[in-house]
PDB file of all heavy atoms in Angstrom:
ATOM      1  N   GLY M 183      18.812 -19.126   8.834  1.00  0.00           N
ATOM      2  CA  GLY M 183      20.131 -19.141   9.577  1.00  0.00           C
ATOM      3  C   GLY M 183      21.209 -19.579   8.641  1.00  0.00           C
ATOM      4  O   GLY M 183      21.466 -20.801   8.469  1.00  0.00           O
ATOM      5  N   LEU M 184      21.959 -18.687   7.973  1.00  0.00           N
ATOM      6  CA  LEU M 184      22.829 -19.001   6.884  1.00  0.00           C
ATOM      7  C   LEU M 184      24.321 -19.273   7.317  1.00  0.00           C
ATOM      8  O   LEU M 184      25.011 -19.831   6.547  1.00  0.00           O
ATOM      9  CB  LEU M 184      22.817 -17.900   5.821  1.00  0.00           C
ATOM     10  CG  LEU M 184      21.375 -17.584   5.275  1.00  0.00           C
ATOM     11  CD1 LEU M 184      21.579 -16.417   4.203  1.00  0.00           C
ATOM     12  CD2 LEU M 184      20.730 -18.724   4.603  1.00  0.00           C
ATOM     13  N   TYR M 185      24.575 -18.730   8.486  1.00  0.00           N
ATOM     14  CA  TYR M 185      26.030 -18.780   8.883  1.00  0.00           C
ATOM     15  C   TYR M 185      26.253 -19.637  10.178  1.00  0.00           C
ATOM     16  O   TYR M 185      25.302 -19.941  10.862  1.00  0.00           O
ATOM     17  CB  TYR M 185      26.542 -17.321   9.062  1.00  0.00           C
ATOM     18  CG  TYR M 185      26.341 -16.534   7.830  1.00  0.00           C
ATOM     19  CD1 TYR M 185      25.353 -15.555   7.766  1.00  0.00           C
ATOM     20  CD2 TYR M 185      27.101 -16.731   6.702  1.00  0.00           C
ATOM     21  CE1 TYR M 185      25.141 -14.819   6.561  1.00  0.00           C
ATOM     22  CE2 TYR M 185      26.967 -16.025   5.541  1.00  0.00           C
ATOM     23  CZ  TYR M 185      25.894 -15.044   5.480  1.00  0.00           C
ATOM     24  OH  TYR M 185      25.787 -14.340   4.286  1.00  0.00           O
ATOM     25  N   LYS M 186      27.488 -19.904  10.429  1.00  0.00           N
ATOM     26  CA  LYS M 186      27.904 -20.681  11.590  1.00  0.00           C
ATOM     27  C   LYS M 186      27.295 -20.127  12.848  1.00  0.00           C
ATOM     28  O   LYS M 186      27.328 -18.859  13.054  1.00  0.00           O
ATOM     29  CB  LYS M 186      29.434 -20.795  11.648  1.00  0.00           C
ATOM     30  CG  LYS M 186      29.917 -21.784  12.698  1.00  0.00           C
ATOM     31  CD  LYS M 186      31.421 -21.875  12.701  1.00  0.00           C
ATOM     32  CE  LYS M 186      31.960 -22.899  13.666  1.00  0.00           C
ATOM     33  NZ  LYS M 186      33.425 -22.971  13.624  1.00  0.00           N
ATOM     34  N   HIS M 187      26.764 -21.030  13.720  1.00  0.00           N
ATOM     35  CA  HIS M 187      26.171 -20.638  14.985  1.00  0.00           C
ATOM     36  C   HIS M 187      24.872 -19.867  14.871  1.00  0.00           C
ATOM     37  O   HIS M 187      24.418 -19.351  15.874  1.00  0.00           O
ATOM     38  CB  HIS M 187      27.146 -19.790  15.870  1.00  0.00           C
ATOM     39  CG  HIS M 187      28.474 -20.402  16.031  1.00  0.00           C
ATOM     40  ND1 HIS M 187      28.661 -21.691  16.551  1.00  0.00           N
ATOM     41  CD2 HIS M 187      29.807 -19.922  15.821  1.00  0.00           C
ATOM     42  CE1 HIS M 187      29.906 -22.005  16.628  1.00  0.00           C
ATOM     43  NE2 HIS M 187      30.649 -20.919  16.209  1.00  0.00           N
ATOM     44  N   GLN M 188      24.228 -19.825  13.688  1.00  0.00           N
ATOM     45  CA  GLN M 188      22.922 -19.267  13.568  1.00  0.00           C
ATOM     46  C   GLN M 188      21.862 -20.369  13.541  1.00  0.00           C
ATOM     47  O   GLN M 188      21.618 -21.047  12.574  1.00  0.00           O
ATOM     48  CB  GLN M 188      22.820 -18.404  12.240  1.00  0.00           C
ATOM     49  CG  GLN M 188      23.652 -17.159  12.228  1.00  0.00           C
ATOM     50  CD  GLN M 188      23.378 -16.278  11.105  1.00  0.00           C
ATOM     51  OE1 GLN M 188      22.874 -16.725  10.063  1.00  0.00           O
ATOM     52  NE2 GLN M 188      23.735 -15.026  11.123  1.00  0.00           N
ATOM     53  N   SER M 189      21.333 -20.618  14.727  1.00  0.00           N
ATOM     54  CA  SER M 189      20.375 -21.698  14.830  1.00  0.00           C
ATOM     55  C   SER M 189      19.129 -21.443  14.092  1.00  0.00           C
ATOM     56  O   SER M 189      18.583 -20.355  14.017  1.00  0.00           O
ATOM     57  CB  SER M 189      19.999 -21.879  16.367  1.00  0.00           C
ATOM     58  OG  SER M 189      19.320 -20.738  16.844  1.00  0.00           O
ATOM     59  N   ASP M 190      18.601 -22.498  13.439  1.00  0.00           N
ATOM     60  CA  ASP M 190      17.419 -22.313  12.576  1.00  0.00           C
ATOM     61  C   ASP M 190      16.588 -23.573  12.667  1.00  0.00           C
ATOM     62  O   ASP M 190      16.567 -24.413  11.784  1.00  0.00           O
ATOM     63  CB  ASP M 190      17.925 -22.118  11.127  1.00  0.00           C
ATOM     64  CG  ASP M 190      16.771 -21.672  10.191  1.00  0.00           C
ATOM     65  OD1 ASP M 190      15.619 -21.817  10.589  1.00  0.00           O
ATOM     66  OD2 ASP M 190      17.046 -21.278   9.049  1.00  0.00           O
ATOM     67  N   TRP M 191      15.802 -23.697  13.755  1.00  0.00           N
ATOM     68  CA  TRP M 191      15.046 -24.885  13.967  1.00  0.00           C
ATOM     69  C   TRP M 191      13.865 -24.994  13.014  1.00  0.00           C
ATOM     70  O   TRP M 191      13.406 -26.124  12.735  1.00  0.00           O
ATOM     71  CB  TRP M 191      14.488 -24.798  15.445  1.00  0.00           C
ATOM     72  CG  TRP M 191      15.445 -25.009  16.482  1.00  0.00           C
ATOM     73  CD1 TRP M 191      16.838 -25.037  16.308  1.00  0.00           C
ATOM     74  CD2 TRP M 191      15.224 -25.144  17.906  1.00  0.00           C
ATOM     75  NE1 TRP M 191      17.394 -25.186  17.556  1.00  0.00           N
ATOM     76  CE2 TRP M 191      16.520 -25.299  18.551  1.00  0.00           C
ATOM     77  CE3 TRP M 191      14.122 -25.171  18.690  1.00  0.00           C
ATOM     78  CZ2 TRP M 191      16.669 -25.420  19.937  1.00  0.00           C
ATOM     79  CZ3 TRP M 191      14.216 -25.380  20.078  1.00  0.00           C
ATOM     80  CH2 TRP M 191      15.437 -25.471  20.647  1.00  0.00           C
ATOM     81  N   GLY M 192      13.385 -23.873  12.444  1.00  0.00           N
ATOM     82  CA  GLY M 192      12.437 -23.942  11.400  1.00  0.00           C
ATOM     83  C   GLY M 192      12.879 -24.690  10.197  1.00  0.00           C
ATOM     84  O   GLY M 192      12.167 -25.557   9.658  1.00  0.00           O
ATOM     85  N   TYR M 193      14.091 -24.346   9.769  1.00  0.00           N
ATOM     86  CA  TYR M 193      14.691 -25.075   8.661  1.00  0.00           C
ATOM     87  C   TYR M 193      15.018 -26.551   8.982  1.00  0.00           C
ATOM     88  O   TYR M 193      14.841 -27.415   8.057  1.00  0.00           O
ATOM     89  CB  TYR M 193      15.936 -24.365   8.148  1.00  0.00           C
ATOM     90  CG  TYR M 193      16.629 -24.929   6.941  1.00  0.00           C
ATOM     91  CD1 TYR M 193      15.894 -25.050   5.744  1.00  0.00           C
ATOM     92  CD2 TYR M 193      17.903 -25.531   7.026  1.00  0.00           C
ATOM     93  CE1 TYR M 193      16.471 -25.639   4.609  1.00  0.00           C
ATOM     94  CE2 TYR M 193      18.422 -26.110   5.868  1.00  0.00           C
ATOM     95  CZ  TYR M 193      17.722 -26.138   4.671  1.00  0.00           C
ATOM     96  OH  TYR M 193      18.298 -26.734   3.556  1.00  0.00           O
ATOM     97  N   ASP M 194      15.440 -26.807  10.232  1.00  0.00           N
ATOM     98  CA  ASP M 194      15.674 -28.171  10.632  1.00  0.00           C
ATOM     99  C   ASP M 194      14.349 -28.972  10.461  1.00  0.00           C
ATOM    100  O   ASP M 194      14.397 -30.124  10.016  1.00  0.00           O
ATOM    101  CB  ASP M 194      16.135 -28.161  12.060  1.00  0.00           C
ATOM    102  CG  ASP M 194      17.488 -27.576  12.207  1.00  0.00           C
ATOM    103  OD1 ASP M 194      18.286 -27.550  11.292  1.00  0.00           O
ATOM    104  OD2 ASP M 194      17.820 -27.246  13.387  1.00  0.00           O
ATOM    105  N   PHE M 195      13.220 -28.358  10.904  1.00  0.00           N
ATOM    106  CA  PHE M 195      11.904 -29.051  10.668  1.00  0.00           C
ATOM    107  C   PHE M 195      11.623 -29.281   9.221  1.00  0.00           C
ATOM    108  O   PHE M 195      11.078 -30.307   8.823  1.00  0.00           O
ATOM    109  CB  PHE M 195      10.870 -28.206  11.332  1.00  0.00           C
ATOM    110  CG  PHE M 195       9.436 -28.793  11.151  1.00  0.00           C
ATOM    111  CD1 PHE M 195       9.010 -29.854  11.792  1.00  0.00           C
ATOM    112  CD2 PHE M 195       8.614 -28.139  10.201  1.00  0.00           C
ATOM    113  CE1 PHE M 195       7.682 -30.439  11.595  1.00  0.00           C
ATOM    114  CE2 PHE M 195       7.302 -28.650   9.973  1.00  0.00           C
ATOM    115  CZ  PHE M 195       6.895 -29.811  10.690  1.00  0.00           C
ATOM    116  N   ILE M 196      11.905 -28.307   8.375  1.00  0.00           N
ATOM    117  CA  ILE M 196      11.590 -28.394   6.918  1.00  0.00           C
ATOM    118  C   ILE M 196      12.507 -29.496   6.301  1.00  0.00           C
ATOM    119  O   ILE M 196      12.023 -30.290   5.545  1.00  0.00           O
ATOM    120  CB  ILE M 196      11.870 -27.032   6.195  1.00  0.00           C
ATOM    121  CG1 ILE M 196      10.808 -26.018   6.681  1.00  0.00           C
ATOM    122  CG2 ILE M 196      11.925 -27.191   4.715  1.00  0.00           C
ATOM    123  CD1 ILE M 196      11.080 -24.604   6.168  1.00  0.00           C
ATOM    124  N   GLN M 197      13.734 -29.581   6.832  1.00  0.00           N
ATOM    125  CA  GLN M 197      14.590 -30.655   6.284  1.00  0.00           C
ATOM    126  C   GLN M 197      14.122 -31.992   6.667  1.00  0.00           C
ATOM    127  O   GLN M 197      14.187 -32.979   5.882  1.00  0.00           O
ATOM    128  CB  GLN M 197      16.017 -30.430   6.808  1.00  0.00           C
ATOM    129  CG  GLN M 197      16.876 -29.302   6.168  1.00  0.00           C
ATOM    130  CD  GLN M 197      18.263 -29.326   6.641  1.00  0.00           C
ATOM    131  OE1 GLN M 197      18.581 -29.119   7.813  1.00  0.00           O
ATOM    132  NE2 GLN M 197      19.205 -29.460   5.691  1.00  0.00           N
ATOM    133  N   LEU M 198      13.601 -32.083   7.921  1.00  0.00           N
ATOM    134  CA  LEU M 198      13.035 -33.428   8.426  1.00  0.00           C
ATOM    135  C   LEU M 198      11.795 -33.791   7.447  1.00  0.00           C
ATOM    136  O   LEU M 198      11.669 -34.935   7.035  1.00  0.00           O
ATOM    137  CB  LEU M 198      12.553 -33.283   9.847  1.00  0.00           C
ATOM    138  CG  LEU M 198      11.833 -34.535  10.409  1.00  0.00           C
ATOM    139  CD1 LEU M 198      12.677 -35.710  10.350  1.00  0.00           C
ATOM    140  CD2 LEU M 198      11.319 -34.264  11.888  1.00  0.00           C
ATOM    141  N   MET M 199      10.938 -32.843   7.210  1.00  0.00           N
ATOM    142  CA  MET M 199       9.804 -33.099   6.395  1.00  0.00           C
ATOM    143  C   MET M 199      10.183 -33.385   4.924  1.00  0.00           C
ATOM    144  O   MET M 199       9.539 -34.241   4.342  1.00  0.00           O
ATOM    145  CB  MET M 199       8.831 -31.869   6.419  1.00  0.00           C
ATOM    146  CG  MET M 199       8.224 -31.543   7.723  1.00  0.00           C
ATOM    147  SD  MET M 199       7.078 -32.870   8.322  1.00  0.00           S
ATOM    148  CE  MET M 199       8.109 -33.676   9.508  1.00  0.00           C
TER     149      MET M 199
END
Side-chain angles (χ1 to χ4, degrees):
L184 303 180
Y185 302 106
K186 190 176 181 180
H187 305 309
Q188 290 187 343
S189 64
D190 190 348
W191 290 9
Y193 182 62
D194 292 340
F195 174 75
I196 290 173
Q197 284 187 302
L198 174 61
M199 294 297 101

